[in-house]
Amino acid sequence: MSSISTSIKANEAYLRNQFESCSDVVFRSFILEDETLLLIVYLDGMTQLQSVESNILKPLLYSGLPQGLDRMQSLAGMFSREWLPLTNVKKDESLEDLVHHILQGSLGILVDGEASALLLQVQGYEKRSIEEPKKESTLRGSKEGFVENIRTNTSLIRRRILHPHLKMESYTIGKYTQTEVVLTYMQGLADEKVLSEVRKKLGEIELDGVIDSAYIEEWLENRPFSIFSQIQNTERPDIVTACLLEGKVALLTNGTPFALILPITFWSGLQSADDYFERFVFVILTRFIRYLMTFISFSLPALYVALTTFHPEMIPSTLMLSIAAARQSSPFPTVIEVFLMMIIFDGLQEAGVHLPTQLGSVVSIIGALIIGQAAVEAGIISTPIIIVISLTGIAAYTIPRYSAALPFRIIRYLLLFISALLGFMGFALGMIFLMIHLVMLESFGKPFMSPIAPFDGKRFRDLIIRYPFWIKNGRNKKERQT
Amino acid sequence: MIRFVLLACVSLTLALISSGCTDFVEPNQLAGVLGTAIDHGEDGMIEVSHQIVIPSQLEGPSKGGGSGNSNPFLVMSATGQDVFQATQKIQFKMSRRLITNHRSIIAISEEYFRRNDVRKLFDKLFRDPANNLRDIIVLIKGSSAKEFIMLKHPIESLSSIGAAKELQINGMSGFSSRQFLIDSFLKGSRPLIPVLQIESLKRSPKKTDPTALLSGFAVLDHNLKIKGLLDVEEGSGALWMMGKGTYHGATVPWKNGIVSLRLTQLHRRISSAAGQDPKRIVLTVKAQAYLLENSSQRDMSEADNMVELQKGINEQIQKELQGTIDKVQRWGPDVFGIGEYLHRQNPYWWKSQEDDWDEKFKNIDVSVKADILLRSTGVSGAPLK
């Protein structure tokens, strides 16, 4: 830690050394009327130049310093106290800090003969405006989504909770990126144990850089090898707000529109923001459909294979006959057919994600026409399998969050293989393993299958029925009093 | 963790290889048996015929009709000492594995019933877990069961499914082999099975087709010997009294005319009359009646007539059902399960009666009581004048 020296030459030499080959750092020194030497350092593109010009350079150069003041004490101090028309002014005495702040977009003013620097927060850079969240769209509700700038994001939350108990603790993570991470929670509602665990883990992170919140997510998780993510990500400020009010904790990361929410349960992935915006009676129906579809999304191919090849007696006779008729000329065993179609489906999906939108239609045409129709007509793939796979695919899309659907795509393959080996017995085994894993999983001390195992009647009912808010509020009040 | 993953990979690979991954049978390696016919063969042999479906010949919407003459099933038969041996002989001639789980009908010829001990046959049918016990057992009168199973059904593409559906749709459920099994194992009840007969039906001016029609019900005794045949009307009433009926149509004479009724919500209740005497039984049948036709020139919108009609049909149906019971009692087998009722009511008394119940049932005094509620008299009141 080297402190700022009184010699402006030495300071400038230090800074120039630090910012060697940094073409975007601007050094500007000038002399005032009374022969005072000033040095201004800032990052071009990170500062609002207009503000710098009108608030700093113009007054200093044109009108000079106000007369008759005891400027000899500290010019910088005087600036910050009474002169510069800016709100966010800091004084700094260490060179490292000065460098750090300049990198963040502050404007540093060094005065000859003074061992301190004045930092003016005049950051301003081009950023994306607030847009509708694309990954989690809802029919009703706020159209605002998080952006890359963390201050915009914190303000999006702050605007929704006008209460001093909303806390935002700032952390800087990443050796080189120095990314700002904000831990936000409601004081009094959030669990202190969770908070201290998160704080501890945030302190332990050793990363060169934080490009996305996913980097932090992986450091925080208790069971990193599980296929289920124990932290939810969202780009909707309204979801974050709702979660904060439920006593959860959110992490915002600079540079990404995805906030992290923890702790979560298995079921939070299956709930959509829409559930709380639509009429509650209708929501009961959609939730049931969603739960059913979630089950279908990972079990149907396995069930189909187990039923048709191991237990044909369990299928109604006429259905069995149609399946047998459709399979009349299929060259591959059912398992291979299903496996091929699953690979193709996942491949199409993967291609669709990465292709530019103009080429997206090409994939759908190839997928629908060539694979769907031609393969069946050629007799390579039987029709029931196309139905099974497309139903499975659609079922996976009913899961409202993309990352919550990913584990089911893995389970789909695992269950398929074990069912192809052992039939229903294998399916049952697979489900038992899945259940054991889910029940053992924890998200920051909270059991992952929470309202079901361990069973909690009141919250279990909320899984099935989304009660109207007046009932829910009554319950919450009671809980808070105790 | 890495060791665990490696272990998992190795064991999965081993499991895949060692199991051979060939335990499964694809649907196109199976030959679904939809119906089985049992006939009497010479020298104590048994002739088994399987109706085997050919999936590719089934009319599917994608095939666009196909040829109308193609038969969606074939019948393979063989003789053997028992069902398994005969089936094995058929299997040797097939390119696909026979699967009997989807069988919907077992047809047994009357001749076989008369000349063999049927109990031995059913042992195979019930012991093998590959039987789903949902199939219906029917008796074929007048011709061989093989002939029946070769017939084409006028509506359904598969005749055995057609026959099963015919019984189902007419409210005659409870003929599954599971029910048959229960009835024949219980000491206090006896099985009743439907009887089909092949008749020539003229369905178009040029063609006369042989068609299997329901001609009645056979009453079997404890040794599964046929004791008597009920006609379709009586059989339907008997089903009601057995507690298996779901629908009954009644046409009864009333006041110089005829009334027709549809009876739904059929129930029956057995009770001992006069307190303790187990030999006097009252069988109460309950139903809701809907008047559908009335040629008696009475205005049915009048309450008096309604009360009178309800009384009339109760008397008439009581008389008919009593006739059926008396007929069955003369033969002996207790198809109504009255013995089971007595078993539960008087377990100690039953112990002395359970052997040779067929004979003792003849001496039980069973009286029928009808409790029919006239629900509706239809939309029109008075008949046209």
Side-chain angles (χ1 to χ4, degrees):
Chain A
M1 202 57 113
S2 50
S3 52
I4 299 172
S5 88
T6 45
S7 152
I8 200 164
K9 284 265 169 7
N11 290 335
E12 188 178 351
Y14 177 84
L15 290 176
R16 282 201 187 271
N17 182 36
Q18 288 284 311
F19 294 123
E20 202 187 345
S21 315
C22 296
S23 59
D24 51 345
V25 179
V26 178
F27 290 85
R28 171 95 157 81
S29 59
F30 51 94
I31 299 166
L32 297 183
E33 284 172 5
D34 58 347
E35 308 285 309
T36 317
L37 187 64
L38 289 175
L39 176 68
I40 290 177
V41 188
Y42 64 91
L43 263 174
D44 199 11
M46 292 272 280
T47 40
Q48 284 172 298
L49 277 183
Q50 207 187 356
S51 158
V52 172
E53 279 164 8
S54 60
N55 293 329
I56 302 159
L57 291 180
K58 273 185 195 164
L60 282 174
L61 290 174
Y62 295 163
S63 48
L65 284 170
Q67 297 298 310
L69 294 174
D70 51 344
R71 66 158 288 263
M72 301 310 139
Q73 292 294 317
S74 158
L75 187 72
M78 190 273 297
F79 274 167
S80 69
R81 265 203 318 278
E82 48 192 295
W83 197 69
L84 285 178
L86 282 169
T87 49
N88 209 339
V89 180
K90 251 194 216 165
K91 232 175 89 178
D92 218 328
E93 290 179 355
S94 129
L95 276 169
E96 279 89 357
D97 274 0
L98 180 65
V99 168
H100 178 71
H101 283 111
I102 288 170
L103 284 173
Q104 285 190 327
S106 295
L107 179 97
I109 304 178
L110 288 157
V111 185
D112 194 20
E114 280 184 32
S116 66
L118 193 65
L119 285 165
L120 308 177
Q121 303 244 315
V122 286
Q123 284 114 320
Y125 37 82
E126 293 304 316
K127 57 192 178 197
R128 194 163 65 95
S129 58
I130 295 173
E131 285 167 16
E132 194 180 336
K134 290 215 177 72
K135 220 176 99 174
E136 294 164 275
S137 54
T138 55
L139 294 172
R140 193 170 158 182
S142 154
K143 301 278 180 215
E144 281 178 338
F146 283 135
V147 293
E148 282 74 12
N149 187 319
I150 194 165
R151 283 290 145 237
T152 317
N153 293 349
T154 52
S155 76
L156 283 174
I157 297 171
R158 192 59 92 171
R159 265 189 258 159
R160 286 174 165 80
I161 305 177
L162 305 176
H163 200 280
H165 279 178
L166 173 65
K167 303 295 176 194
M168 296 201 173
E169 291 173 15
S170 178
Y171 294 84
T172 306
I173 296 170
K175 190 176 156 196
Y176 294 118
T177 55
Q178 295 286 314
T179 312
E180 189 183 1
V181 174
V182 169
L183 169 68
T184 170
Y185 57 93
M186 289 298 288
Q187 196 179 44
L189 293 181
D191 187 356
E192 275 304 322
K193 271 187 216 157
V194 174
L195 275 176
S196 56
E197 194 184 340
V198 173
R199 283 188 196 118
K200 192 176 132 248
K201 287 202 163 174
L202 281 175
E204 285 169 0
I205 297 179
E206 287 171 20
L207 276 173
D208 278 356
V210 178
I211 315 297
D212 189 87
S213 51
Y215 285 56
I216 294 170
E217 187 179 335
E218 290 194 358
W219 270 91
L220 292 182
E221 278 179 339
N222 312 53
R223 296 281 295 274
F225 285 103
S226 170
I227 52 173
F228 289 93
S229 115
Q230 297 129 57
I231 296 174
Q232 179 181 344
N233 64 66
T234 180
E235 52 176 337
R236 294 186 64 90
D238 48 355
I239 289 183
V240 173
T241 311
C243 288
L244 289 176
L245 293 177
E246 281 171 26
K248 290 178 182 169
V249 171
L251 281 166
L252 302 170
T253 311
N254 200 10
T256 172
F258 289 98
L260 303 179
I261 295 170
L262 56 102
I264 58 159
T265 62
F266 177 78
W267 310 102
S268 30
L270 305 182
Q271 293 180 355
S272 148
D274 262 337
D275 286 5
Y276 294 91
F277 302 153
E278 294 297 342
R279 286 188 70 76
F280 75 97
V281 185
F282 173 70
V283 168
I284 298 170
L285 172 72
T286 49
R287 269 201 183 162
F288 263 106
I289 291 175
R290 207 179 292 146
Y291 291 154
L292 180 73
M293 284 299 189
T294 308
F295 180 73
I296 286 177
S297 78
F298 64 86
S299 64
L300 191 64
L303 283 178
Y304 178 80
V305 169
L307 274 177
T308 54
T309 59
F310 282 87
H311 318 281
E313 65 274 9
M314 287 186 68
I315 310 175
S317 306
T318 39
L319 178 61
M320 187 62 211
L321 290 179
S322 341
I323 291 174
R327 270 199 57 84
Q328 202 58 25
S329 59
S330 300
F332 300 118
T334 314
V335 204
I336 306 293
E337 266 185 76
V338 172
F339 182 63
L340 278 179
M341 282 311 292
M342 271 162 71
I343 294 271
I344 289 168
F345 181 81
D346 276 344
L348 279 175
Q349 199 170 330
E350 195 58 21
V353 170
H354 298 301
L355 268 184
T357 39
Q358 296 95 317
L359 290 174
S361 56
V362 177
V363 174
S364 53
I365 288 170
I366 292 175
L369 285 186
I370 298 190
I371 290 149
Q373 215 177 331
V376 172
E377 275 176 18
I380 298 170
I381 305 284
S382 59
T383 353
I385 284 166
I386 303 276
I387 297 169
V388 164
I389 297 298
S390 42
L391 189 57
T392 314
I394 290 167
Y397 291 133
T398 57
I399 300 171
R401 291 193 301 110
Y402 175 75
S403 34
L406 297 181
F408 299 117
R409 278 167 66 178
I410 304 171
I411 299 168
R412 198 187 293 167
Y413 284 98
L414 299 178
L415 276 180
L416 174 71
F417 285 129
I418 197 162
S419 303
L421 276 182
L422 302 168
F424 255 178
M425 153 97 166
F427 183 77
L429 272 180
M431 288 299 285
I432 289 169
F433 278 125
L434 178 65
M435 286 297 156
I436 291 175
H437 177 68
L438 278 173
V439 167
M440 279 170 69
L441 208 58
E442 275 188 356
S443 168
F444 295 85
K446 192 176 183 186
F448 201 56
M449 288 296 276
S450 184
I452 287 183
F455 188 75
D456 179 346
K458 266 186 183 169
R459 283 178 48 238
F460 176 70
R461 269 182 295 169
D462 187 52
L463 268 191
I464 300 164
I465 304 165
R466 200 276 278 166
Y467 284 101
F469 293 114
W470 37 271
I471 291 179
K472 215 176 172 185
N473 287 344
R475 201 191 72 206
N476 278 356
K477 251 181 225 158
K478 209 174 171 187
E479 273 178 3
R480 266 173 220 162
Q481 277 164 5
T482 51
Chain B
M1 193 66 208
I2 292 166
R3 275 183 64 191
F4 173 76
V5 171
L6 272 176
L7 195 71
C9 288
V10 169
S11 49
L12 188 71
T13 322
L14 281 179
L16 277 165
I17 295 166
S18 60
S19 72
C21 212
T22 49
D23 280 351
F24 52 76
V25 185
E26 296 297 331
N28 50 358
Q29 296 170 342
L30 293 174
V33 174
L34 285 180
T36 298
I38 311 279
D39 282 302
H40 177 72
E42 292 309 315
D43 311 325
M45 301 284 263
I46 175 171
E47 186 179 12
V48 175
S49 314
H50 284 315
Q51 188 188 76
I52 296 158
V53 65
I54 310 167
S56 56
Q57 297 291 320
L58 283 173
E59 308 126 36
S62 58
K63 296 280 183 282
S67 53
N69 293 326
S70 65
N71 213 359
F73 60 84
L74 63 98
V75 174
M76 302 278 277
S77 48
T79 50
Q81 283 164 323
D82 62 1
V83 180
F84 177 75
Q85 201 186 26
T87 307
Q88 202 57 31
K89 279 184 186 168
I90 297 174
Q91 177 67 73
F92 282 134
K93 295 178 214 156
M94 295 291 298
S95 63
R96 296 180 178 199
R97 190 184 299 171
L98 291 174
I99 170 174
T100 52
N101 305 78
H102 288 287
R103 180 162 54 203
S104 64
I105 205 158
I106 298 173
I108 304 164
S109 67
E110 197 189 5
E111 192 194 3
Y112 186 83
F113 256 100
R114 298 224 183 273
R115 294 170 67 169
N116 294 280
D117 187 359
V118 189
R119 283 177 297 178
K120 283 181 192 160
L121 167 72
F122 286 116
D123 185 77
K124 154 72 184 171
L125 293 176
F126 297 146
R127 197 176 293 278
D128 186 356
N131 292 305
N132 60 8
L133 298 186
R134 281 179 307 219
D135 37 12
I136 290 171
I137 293 175
V138 294
L139 191 127
I140 306 299
K141 198 181 156 198
S143 59
S144 72
K146 187 179 173 183
E147 220 171 296
F148 159 74
I149 216 149
M150 281 175 171
L151 287 181
K152 276 172 114 178
H153 194 275
I155 300 175
E156 309 291 337
S157 55
L158 295 161
S159 60
S160 38
I161 288 184
K165 273 185 178 175
E166 265 166 29
L167 289 170
Q168 199 76 37
I169 208 81
N170 288 309
M172 294 170 194
S173 49
F175 289 116
S176 65
S177 48
R178 182 178 160 274
Q179 191 60 46
F180 182 89
L181 182 68
I182 293 170
D183 285 341
S184 45
F185 270 100
L186 286 177
K187 289 189 169 167
S189 80
R190 302 285 175 260
L192 182 78
I193 59 172
V195 176
L196 299 184
Q197 209 163 0
I198 298 177
E199 278 166 34
S200 285
L201 268 194
K202 202 165 179 179
R203 273 201 297 267
S204 62
K206 287 178 193 163
K207 240 167 66 179
T208 328
D209 289 328
T211 310
L213 296 172
L214 182 71
S215 71
F217 295 87
V219 177
L220 304 184
D221 71 356
H222 188 54
N223 298 323
L224 300 181
K225 289 280 173 207
I226 301 171
K227 282 288 169 178
L229 293 176
L230 295 171
D231 66 21
V232 178
E233 265 308 294
E234 291 167 330
S236 174
L239 275 178
W240 184 5
M241 288 187 286
M242 288 159 75
K244 286 179 192 166
T246 53
Y247 166 81
H248 187 77
T251 304
V252 291
W254 185 63
K255 308 270 178 204
N256 315 322
I258 296 171
V259 286
S260 278
L261 302 124
R262 185 179 68 207
L263 303 176
T264 57
Q265 310 259 340
L266 306 185
H267 297 288
R268 68 107 193 231
R269 211 183 62 236
I270 307 174
S271 50
S272 293
Q276 298 304 312
D277 187 5
K279 295 215 165 190
R280 289 189 62 201
I281 294 289
V282 176
L283 204 156
T284 315
V285 288
K286 277 190 175 182
Q288 295 188 356
Y290 297 84
L291 182 65
L292 298 180
E293 274 185 56
N294 170 26
S295 62
S296 65
Q297 301 297 318
R298 293 281 187 114
D299 181 0
M300 290 317 297
S301 59
E302 278 175 30
D304 289 349
N305 283 336
M306 276 178 72
V307 173
E308 227 174 300
L309 174 67
Q310 186 171 321
K311 214 174 137 213
I313 53 175
N314 266 320
E315 278 169 9
Q316 192 62 34
I317 284 178
Q318 202 166 307
K319 208 172 87 193
E320 279 178 16
L321 294 182
Q322 187 69 51
T324 310
I325 285 221
D326 291 347
K327 205 171 181 181
V328 174
Q329 262 191 313
R330 273 200 301 282
W331 296 331
D334 174 15
V335 291
F336 309 104
I338 288 168
E340 270 314 295
Y341 167 78
L342 291 171
H343 183 181
R344 282 177 203 135
Q345 289 296 312
N346 309 295
Y348 295 109
W349 175 83
W350 173 250
K351 280 216 160 102
S352 63
Q353 305 286 316
E354 62 181 9
D355 297 322
D356 204 18
W357 175 242
D358 283 340
E359 276 307 310
K360 283 167 183 150
F361 179 61
K362 290 179 182 174
N363 302 323
I364 302 280
D365 174 20
V366 185
S367 55
V368 180
K369 198 166 157 281
D371 182 8
I372 293 163
L373 182 71
L374 186 63
R375 272 269 158 193
S376 142
T377 54
V379 275
S380 60
L384 292 171
K385 289 267 158 67

